[in-house]
């Protein structure tokens, strides 16, 4: 049996997940996929069929000193005929003046998580990225920014939906280290916060992603990813801390 753990935390976005660097090509990208299917049961008349996959892709269009990146992450899990998990996001980001150590970014994102009752989440924002260290083998960076976020949540155990929208502070810090020609490690940490005037409280979200990428050939590699997210005041009563580990094959083009 091979088991994959679908990504429950699409809010995390790691632009350093699989390195995309400019060369002579105008368009670069990579795809990471994992898949599992099996049937197992204790009784012959009660079969259990499992089907699941996780698909990630990053595609970048390079312009003069700028980059347009399109990032996708989809996870699906079905047990017998019932969809158990269906989550994903699509993220579009435009980075300008990348030849400068400090440069602006703008982004939009669409997200859904049917298992937790989220559909949809829309995000749009801007940030100012600071590349504190930027060398061939190591980079260290952070970015403060602001974003608008719209969410629609189903209250667990009911048909009632709660819709909210906030202006939030969004900030990330991370690093990338190319250990050698066959191994690189990267991590990114997000902190997003806002004050909810209706509820009279602060809503804080913390998240982290750690990736270990190993190279097999010039185009094929293995990606191991661990993510964790915590929300101190979720909109509806759901689990505050979620985590996920995935391992898959990465293809670069």
């Amino acid at each position: 049996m091979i088991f994959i753990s679908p990504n429950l935390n699409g809010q995390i976005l790691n632009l350093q997940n699989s390195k995309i660097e400019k060369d002579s090509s105008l368009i670069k990208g990579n795809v990471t996929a994992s898949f599992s299917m099996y049937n197992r049961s204790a009784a012959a008349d009660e079969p259990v069929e499992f089907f699941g996959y996780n698909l990630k892709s990053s595609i970048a269009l390079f312009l003069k000193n700028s980059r347009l990146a399109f990032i996708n992450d989809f996870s699906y899990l079905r047990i017998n005929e019932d969809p158990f998990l269906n989550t994903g996001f699509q993220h579009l980001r435009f980075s300008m003046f990348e030849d400068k150590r400090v440069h602006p970014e703008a982004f939009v994102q669409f997200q859904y998580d049917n298992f937790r009752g989220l559909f949809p989440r829309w995000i749009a924002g801007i940030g100012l990225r600071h590349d504190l260290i930027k060398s061939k083998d190591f980079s260290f960076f952070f970015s403060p920014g602001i974003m608008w976020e719209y969410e629609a949540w189903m209250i667990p155990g009911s048909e009632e939906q709660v819709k909210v929208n906030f202006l939030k502070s969004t900030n990330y810090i991370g690093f990338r280290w190319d250990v050698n020609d066959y191994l690189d490690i990267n991590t990114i940490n997000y902190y997003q916060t806002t004050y909810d005037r209706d509820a009279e409280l602060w809503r804080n979200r913390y998240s982290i992603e750690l990736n270990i990428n190993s190279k097999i050939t010039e185009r094929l590699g293995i990606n191991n990813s661990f993510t964790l997210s915590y929300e101190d005041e979720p909109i509806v009563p759901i689990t505050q801390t979620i985590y996920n580990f995935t391992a898959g094959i990465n293809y670069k083009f």
Side-chain angles (χ1 to χ4, degrees):
M1 177 181 69
I2 300 175
F3 180 75
I4 63 170
S5 176
N7 187 359
L8 297 177
N9 190 21
Q11 178 59 33
I12 294 179
L13 176 70
N14 189 348
L15 298 176
Q16 309 297 315
N17 180 15
S18 294
K19 183 168 54 179
I20 301 179
E21 292 183 345
K22 185 177 182 180
D23 55 15
S24 59
S25 301
L26 182 63
I27 299 177
K28 297 282 289 182
N30 58 71
V31 177
T32 302
S34 54
F35 169 81
S36 183
M37 180 173 63
Y38 69 86
N39 69 322
R40 174 174 289 187
S41 62
D45 58 347
E46 297 180 356
V48 176
E49 296 181 346
F50 173 96
F51 171 80
Y53 69 84
N54 176 252
L55 177 65
K56 300 179 182 180
S57 67
S58 300
I59 301 172
L61 171 65
F62 292 94
L63 307 171
K64 184 178 180 180
N65 296 327
S66 300
R67 177 189 317 211
L68 182 64
F70 187 46
I71 300 99
N72 299 278
D73 192 325
F74 303 99
S75 293
Y76 179 80
L77 189 152
R78 187 185 71 217
I79 299 177
N80 292 337
E81 298 300 320
D82 299 321
F84 182 72
L85 182 69
N86 186 13
T87 181
F89 70 84
Q90 298 83 48
H91 183 98
L92 184 67
R93 178 171 296 245
F94 184 53
S95 301
M96 297 158 278
F97 311 117
E98 287 196 325
D99 56 329
K100 308 295 184 181
R101 286 192 176 272
V102 180
H103 57 271
E105 301 177 316
F107 55 89
V108 294
Q109 178 172 311
F110 168 75
Q111 182 182 345
Y112 60 93
D113 190 338
N114 291 351
F115 181 72
R116 305 183 82 211
L118 172 65
F119 188 90
R121 170 186 281 150
W122 285 100
I123 294 174
I126 55 174
L128 197 63
R129 173 160 168 153
H130 297 65
D131 291 319
L132 297 181
I133 302 174
K134 191 175 183 180
S135 65
K136 180 181 178 181
D137 298 325
F138 185 81
S139 60
F140 177 70
F141 50 87
F142 77 94
S143 174
I146 58 172
M147 72 179 190
W148 169 83
E149 181 179 69
Y150 168 84
E151 296 178 325
W153 290 90
M154 296 297 296
I155 298 177
S158 76
E159 298 297 322
E160 185 179 352
Q161 190 177 53
V162 178
K163 300 178 181 180
V164 296
N165 67 88
F166 300 110
L167 185 65
K168 289 188 172 184
S169 167
T170 179
N171 314 274
Y172 67 80
I173 185 170
F175 75 85
R176 182 181 194 95
W177 178 29
D178 292 343
V179 180
N180 52 46
D181 291 339
Y182 298 94
L183 178 68
D184 71 78
I185 301 171
N186 66 82
T187 184
I188 194 163
N189 303 267
Y190 276 89
Y191 171 61
Q192 296 166 339
T193 185
T194 190
Y195 183 73
D196 187 341
R197 296 183 181 276
D198 294 334
E200 298 183 340
L201 52 80
W202 286 91
R203 297 189 184 275
N204 301 290
R205 179 187 295 141
Y206 309 88
S207 57
I208 181 174
E209 179 173 342
L210 172 66
N211 288 278
I212 301 175
N213 301 306
S214 55
K215 181 179 177 181
I216 301 175
T217 69
E218 287 300 319
R219 295 191 178 276
L220 286 179
I222 297 175
N223 169 253
N224 297 285
S225 176
F226 174 77
T227 62
L228 183 145
S229 180
Y230 170 77
E231 293 197 51
D232 62 347
E233 297 289 348
I235 302 300
V236 296
I238 55 176
T239 302
Q240 292 175 285
T241 303
I242 54 176
Y243 62 89
N244 176 57
F245 173 78
T246 59
I249 299 297
N250 179 267
Y251 176 78
K252 295 183 180 181
F253 60 89

